Amino acid sequence: MIKFWNKSILIGTILLLILAGCGKSSETSSKQNGDAQKEMDVRISYNLPAEHSTGIYFEELAKEIKKNTANTSIKLNPQTFPNGQLYNDQQLPDAVSNGAVEIGQLNVGFLAGEDAEPLRIVDLPFLFDSWEAEWAAEDGEYGKLFGKQLEKYNMKMIGFAQYGTVELYANKTIKLPENLKGLKMRAFGKGNALMLEEIGASPVSMSSQEVYQAMQQGTIDGYSTGPSSVVDRGLTEVTKYGTDMQIHYLPFQSVVNMDWWNKLPEDVQNAVLKASETAQKASREKAKSDAEEYLQKLSAKGLELYKPSAEDRKKWVDSVKGRYDYYLKKSGDMGKQLYDAAQKAN
């Protein structure tokens, strides 16, 4: 009886070893065939409509990430949340920095603290002379410096999402800087608010989603934004006048949570960066091609647009010179480096 029991143990042990061996071989084979590839969901949040040039960037980014990571060590499954569905432009900086979303649109105007001062160069009016000058800066030293500074906010910048140009709009005629004096104007960030204040307006900070109602109720007299937003958000219904003088060639930044980024294998990181390059190109092409079309739409909807003469434009440029002095004083050595890089691109 005892001998039988020992033999049973021996046979059972041999069977377990065989089964264990088979299981191990099966797992290895599965990995070799790619069946064991990990998958990860990725949230991409931004604050504009999907058809906007900024939205084109993030939608294209999601599509390219999915394609580029199909065979990498981790397959990323991106889901986009456009038009402030998860977070508005004021909330997105904290959402990305804290990891509430993995990838998001950044408006540096809503960053707080001294480390944000150099980044406020994007708010300097008349900084770039053309689309091409802006893009040359972003693809060169200017872009590298910008990304380096953003790391202090636990963000990794992967690209620029083109917004377009920025103008001034109101229910009172705007032709010269003195026309803004005393007007309550919505600003889209600290730097923009300082510009409006210097000219003589009273800046009001609010999200772009709030502008329509504020204009409708007379809470504000006007606002600073791009022609695309005026059209896409239906602001032509509550606005009479605007400018056509390219105060800014404005991009937003595409940023990822640094903690999340650092955990990604190198092949996945490279796939995301490659996706951003493709998305950035599509966004730029869309923004430039749309610029003239949006101006035509504004005119067709009854907005009176003022395009300044060379003499009047100089008055606008002169009216904001103090912004450059203030910026260089507040932003330190990094600000000076960014400014020099921008001028070189021009």
Side-chain angles (χ1 to χ4, degrees):
M1 184 73 176
I2 293 175
K3 288 182 179 180
F4 177 77
W5 182 72
N6 287 339
K7 189 181 289 185
S8 298
I9 292 176
L10 179 61
I11 293 171
T13 301
I14 292 170
L15 286 171
L16 285 172
L17 287 171
I18 291 171
L19 288 171
C22 289
K24 187 174 181 180
S25 299
S26 174
E27 183 179 349
T28 302
S29 174
S30 176
K31 285 183 178 179
Q32 289 174 346
N33 291 332
D35 297 333
Q37 182 192 36
K38 294 181 180 179
E39 295 194 14
M40 181 186 296
D41 293 334
V42 178
R43 294 158 296 183
I44 301 178
S45 179
Y46 61 97
N47 193 53
L48 286 156
E51 62 273 14
H52 187 277
S53 57
T54 299
I56 292 295
Y57 170 89
F58 288 104
E59 294 300 325
E60 190 74 13
L61 179 70
K63 183 178 76 174
E64 290 295 312
I65 285 176
K66 185 174 183 179
K67 181 178 75 174
N68 292 353
T69 63
N71 297 304
T72 53
S73 53
I74 299 177
K75 180 181 179 182
L76 300 181
N77 297 313
Q79 182 179 5
T80 58
F81 298 90
N83 216 19
Q85 289 177 8
L86 284 184
Y87 301 98
N88 64 31
D89 46 1
Q90 291 175 308
Q91 300 165 333
L92 270 167
D94 283 340
V96 177
S97 181
N98 297 331
V101 293
E102 287 75 30
I103 303 176
Q105 168 198 337
L106 176 67
N107 180 340
V108 299
F110 295 116
L111 285 177
E114 291 185 2
D115 288 330
E117 294 302 330
L119 300 174
R120 301 199 197 288
I121 191 170
V122 297
D123 294 328
L124 289 180
F126 311 108
L127 177 64
F128 292 113
D129 296 338
S130 65
W131 297 99
E132 289 74 20
E134 177 209 337
W135 299 338
E138 292 168 358
D139 295 342
E141 184 65 17
Y142 175 93
K144 292 176 183 176
L145 292 168
F146 212 100
K148 180 180 178 182
Q149 190 69 10
L150 276 175
E151 291 178 5
K152 296 180 179 181
Y153 286 89
N154 200 38
M155 298 178 192
K156 163 76 176 177
M157 187 178 75
I158 60 172
F160 289 91
Q162 189 66 52
Y163 175 79
T165 59
V166 172
E167 302 290 346
L168 298 171
Y169 299 91
N171 279 332
K172 296 181 180 180
T173 304
I174 301 176
K175 292 185 177 180
L176 295 171
E178 50 262 36
N179 297 143
L180 289 186
K181 294 187 184 300
L183 298 188
K184 292 181 180 178
M185 298 286 292
R186 177 261 179 176
F188 58 78
K190 182 178 178 181
N192 186 246
L194 288 170
M195 181 199 79
L196 291 170
E197 188 174 30
E198 183 170 334
I199 296 174
S202 298
V204 179
S205 181
M206 64 174 63
S207 175
S208 52
Q209 280 91 357
E210 303 174 75
V211 173
Y212 186 101
Q213 187 174 11
M215 286 292 289
Q216 190 177 48
Q217 296 178 351
T219 308
I220 56 175
D221 299 304
Y223 50 91
S224 179
T225 193
S228 55
S229 284
V230 181
V231 174
D232 294 342
R233 296 190 184 281
L235 294 173
T236 51
E237 299 172 7
V238 291
T239 310
K240 295 180 181 178
Y241 304 99
T243 62
D244 176 15
M245 56 182 174
Q246 295 78 49
I247 299 171
H248 301 277
Y249 291 97
L250 181 67
F252 291 115
Q253 292 70 45
S254 174
V255 290
V256 304
N257 176 265
M258 184 66 81
D259 298 327
W260 174 76
W261 179 260
N262 287 337
K263 292 176 183 176
L264 293 179
E266 186 177 357
D267 65 328
V268 180
Q269 290 180 347
N270 290 336
V272 172
L273 292 174
K274 183 179 178 183
S276 180
E277 288 179 8
T278 302
Q280 185 172 268
K281 185 174 184 293
S283 177
R284 288 173 174 177
E285 290 174 352
K286 173 71 172 172
K288 189 173 182 180
S289 67
D290 281 354
E292 187 59 37
E293 182 180 341
Y294 277 119
L295 290 176
Q296 292 173 1
K297 287 180 179 179
L298 289 174
S299 296
K301 290 180 180 292
L303 254 76
E304 185 178 317
L305 298 177
Y306 177 68
K307 189 173 183 64
S309 63
E311 182 181 353
D312 284 352
R313 183 178 177 83
K314 185 177 185 303
K315 292 179 181 179
W316 281 100
V317 173
D318 290 343
S319 74
V320 296
K321 280 185 176 179
R323 283 291 300 116
Y324 284 79
D325 297 334
Y326 179 88
Y327 169 77
L328 291 170
K329 181 180 178 180
K330 291 280 289 183
S331 60
D333 182 62
M334 176 60 79
K336 180 65 165 58
Q337 290 182 59
L338 282 164
Y339 175 76
D340 289 344
Q343 292 308 304
K344 185 178 179 181
N346 278 329

